Amino acid sequence: MSSARITTFAFAGIDPVPVEVQVQISSGLPAFLLVGLADKAVTESRERVRAALTAIGLSLPPKRILVNLAPADLAKEGSHYDLPIALAVLAAMEVIPAEELAGFAAMGELALDGFIQPVAGVLAAALGASQREQGLICPAAQGPEAAWAGRVAVLAPDNLMQLLNHLRGTQALEPPAPPMLGEAPAGTACLSDVIGQETAKRALEVAAAGSHNMLMQGPPGSGKSMLAARLAGLLPPLTAAQALEVSLVYSVAGLLRDGRLLQRPPFRAPHHSASQPALVGGGPRARPGEISLAHHGVLFLDEWPEFARPALEALRQPMESGEARIARAHAHITWPARFQCIAAMNPCRCGHLGDASRECTKAPRCGEEYLSRLSGPLLDRMDINIEVQPVAHAELSRAPRGETSAVVAARVAAAREFAAARGAVPAEATLTDAARTLAETAAERLRLSTRGFLRAIRVARSIADLTGSDSTERVHVAEALSFRLRG
């Protein structure tokens, strides 16, 4: 009887969970057994491993081969278990030295010809291996991604034979290097393309400066989606810590391309038919949702009331906590989800409420029914709520172009630097007496909730940051209140 073992990883959110692949080869009827709460993709690895070994001129011994994935009570899913299973089997067969595997974790999917295919979660696995003072064996295409983990030895072979030659000392694999970071490209859509809409553009700048949630209401074709698409070009690049966090989410989701960390805040715009698991995460494999893919970025919800009511209500808790907590019978998973929500909606289903020549026969009741699809607590979480009206045709053809995204983005970056220099001083503490009196009076008249009152003050603080003012003045509060049509 012979045995071998190697480490790989499962994932709980973006956290790597070590899994030990244990292989035992013993006498008995020929069999290839796999145990350890494996899903369909994992159990199918037996046939991929068998075919990959055949492709490199090896065959499994006519004995009883038992593969155990420990801990046995942790659900295992995904195709990345192929490579560690194959390596542990080869070590038990004494094809490669077992001691060579002791310092490595491995993950990768095997093709039938022995090539190693990309899998999800390599960056997270590399960080997990680094914490355990191990190296990582991964697909060649993802070697640069693993190299971002820093002090971790990475082997990134193209195929199984190349890896075997390296482990047996007949070939040396070059360690991969992380891709060079160039200047982060800004959004391609420029704010100067938006003609008119000065109030809406100002609101967008304030939202960008303070990462505020924003709701735009207006008839079809008034420019709501056009404005939202230009928000990405106003946001500064991600910091190093933010880039790593966001890239970890994309890595585990299998969306990180060419081993490059994300440098720009992500912009996600799911269709209104998206389900609750698609938005907040979950499903049979508890995958990250759109709110996690928008971490440190923007989630744009067009046709807001058309989303399913349960999906929208599920956004309320993550909008406050910055996390999406997925509870299942077998696991509780937390995904990061600190996103900026930008929503757009028509005034009613037909979109022409208020236009006497075009509105439907149900007006104004249709507008009330349409807005009632959104709950009060959800609307209360939108810091900025503005109306976007169509621009006159004559203005569209004659008005000069406004400021470019680069100009506005410079002001946004300066405001964020000013806010960072201010530190953790609460926005309420910077109010002047006149500003505080106006805020309190307006809160009573507009019947703002406590949340709405505090959010209005934070918007005012962002406006003050844009002007470089240490104190929040009455004029800043007045402008913030003008951006909050509903309490």
Side-chain angles (χ1 to χ4, degrees):
M1 183 177 67
S2 59
S3 63
R5 61 187 63 194
I6 190 174
T7 302
T8 187
F9 293 95
F11 300 100
I14 61 174
D15 298 321
V17 180
V19 173
E20 187 172 69
V21 179
Q22 305 166 352
V23 172
Q24 182 187 81
I25 300 178
S26 59
S27 58
L29 292 176
F32 193 167
L33 307 175
L34 198 154
V35 297
L37 206 57
D39 74 348
K40 184 70 172 175
V42 181
T43 57
E44 289 175 346
S45 68
R46 293 175 298 184
E47 301 307 318
R48 291 191 292 272
V49 168
R50 190 190 305 271
L53 294 185
T54 300
I56 63 173
L58 298 174
S59 61
L60 294 175
K63 294 184 177 182
R64 187 176 188 270
I65 302 174
L66 176 61
V67 178
N68 179 44
L69 306 178
D73 59 348
L74 176 69
K76 321 299 188 308
E77 46 191 38
S79 60
H80 65 272
Y81 292 91
D82 290 5
L83 183 59
I85 290 174
L87 289 175
V89 168
L90 289 169
M93 292 168 57
E94 298 182 352
V95 174
I96 55 176
E99 60 272 14
E100 290 290 334
L101 299 182
F104 284 95
M107 60 188 310
E109 177 184 330
L110 289 177
L112 301 185
D113 58 1
F115 276 78
I116 304 173
Q117 305 292 334
V119 292
V122 166
L123 177 58
L127 291 172
S130 177
Q131 292 170 359
R132 293 169 56 86
E133 297 184 349
Q134 290 180 312
L136 180 71
I137 304 172
C138 67
Q142 295 175 299
E145 177 182 336
W148 284 112
R151 292 179 296 178
V152 56
V154 178
L155 297 180
D158 283 310
N159 53 65
L160 195 56
M161 179 58 76
Q162 197 178 77
L163 177 59
L164 296 188
N165 290 338
H166 176 86
L167 294 175
R168 290 187 297 191
T170 60
Q171 179 181 354
L173 289 172
E174 291 291 330
M180 294 296 293
L181 281 178
E183 185 177 351
T188 55
C190 186
L191 195 63
S192 63
D193 297 335
V194 181
I195 305 300
Q197 304 292 13
E198 298 304 323
T199 300
K201 288 191 284 189
R202 171 63 175 174
L204 200 67
E205 179 180 345
V206 173
S211 296
H212 298 296
N213 299 326
M214 177 174 165
L215 171 61
M216 294 179 283
Q217 303 180 57
S222 56
K224 304 183 296 295
S225 299
M226 190 177 186
L227 284 161
R230 277 137 185 86
L231 178 58
L234 306 184
L235 301 177
L238 298 171
T239 65
Q242 290 173 339
L244 182 59
E245 275 190 23
V246 177
S247 298
L248 275 172
V249 175
Y250 276 69
S251 174
V252 174
L255 299 176
L256 199 61
R257 303 302 180 201
D258 302 323
R260 295 185 180 275
L261 300 188
L262 275 73
Q263 296 178 261
R264 295 290 307 173
F267 184 90
R268 304 291 298 185
H271 191 261
H272 58 73
S273 61
S275 64
Q276 180 177 334
L279 274 183
V280 301
R285 297 180 62 184
R287 309 306 294 170
E290 290 290 340
I291 62 174
S292 295
L293 296 175
H295 185 51
H296 289 312
V298 178
L299 178 70
F300 176 46
L301 302 178
D302 201 5
E303 308 295 346
W304 203 26
E306 299 295 340
F307 283 82
R309 181 72 176 263
L312 289 181
E313 294 304 310
L315 296 178
R316 287 161 51 180
Q317 179 262 335
M319 288 172 77
E320 295 291 337
S321 67
E323 295 179 332
R325 300 186 181 96
I326 311 300
R328 294 291 181 268
H330 64 277
H332 290 71
I333 297 173
T334 300
W335 291 98
R338 192 162 300 280
F339 61 97
Q340 181 178 356
C341 182
I342 305 296
M345 61 177 287
N346 297 328
C348 63
R349 179 174 285 276
C350 74
H352 300 296
L353 182 66
D355 186 344
S357 63
R358 304 177 70 184
E359 65 184 9
C360 65
T361 57
K362 291 185 177 181
R365 182 165 54 89
C366 64
E368 297 171 357
E369 292 176 354
Y370 199 58
L371 187 61
S372 68
R373 293 169 175 246
L374 305 171
S375 68
L378 189 59
L379 286 168
D380 202 35
R381 284 167 167 79
M382 306 308 287
D383 307 322
I384 297 174
N385 187 336
I386 62 170
E387 290 186 2
V388 180
Q389 293 300 326
V391 177
H393 296 163
E395 185 179 351
L396 282 174
S397 59
R398 300 175 185 176
R401 295 170 67 89
E403 292 180 313
T404 64
S405 291
V407 172
V408 179
R411 291 201 297 266
V412 169
R416 291 197 175 197
E417 291 175 3
F418 188 85
R422 191 178 69 250
V425 179
E428 308 89 82
T430 66
L431 287 167
T432 64
D433 292 340
R436 181 175 288 104
T437 300
L438 175 59
E440 292 170 352
T441 302
E444 291 294 329
R445 291 183 179 177
L446 297 176
R447 297 179 177 272
L448 296 182
S449 66
T450 302
R451 180 191 293 114
F453 174 68
L454 292 176
R455 285 178 179 262
I457 291 176
R458 290 169 190 162
V459 172
R461 183 58 254 175
S462 295
I463 295 170
D465 290 336
L466 281 167
T467 63
S469 174
D470 290 321
S471 59
T472 306
E473 305 289 344
R474 178 185 172 91
V475 65
H476 303 144
V477 173
E479 185 177 5
L481 292 170
S482 72
F483 291 148
R484 194 173 185 93
L485 300 180
R486 302 180 188 275

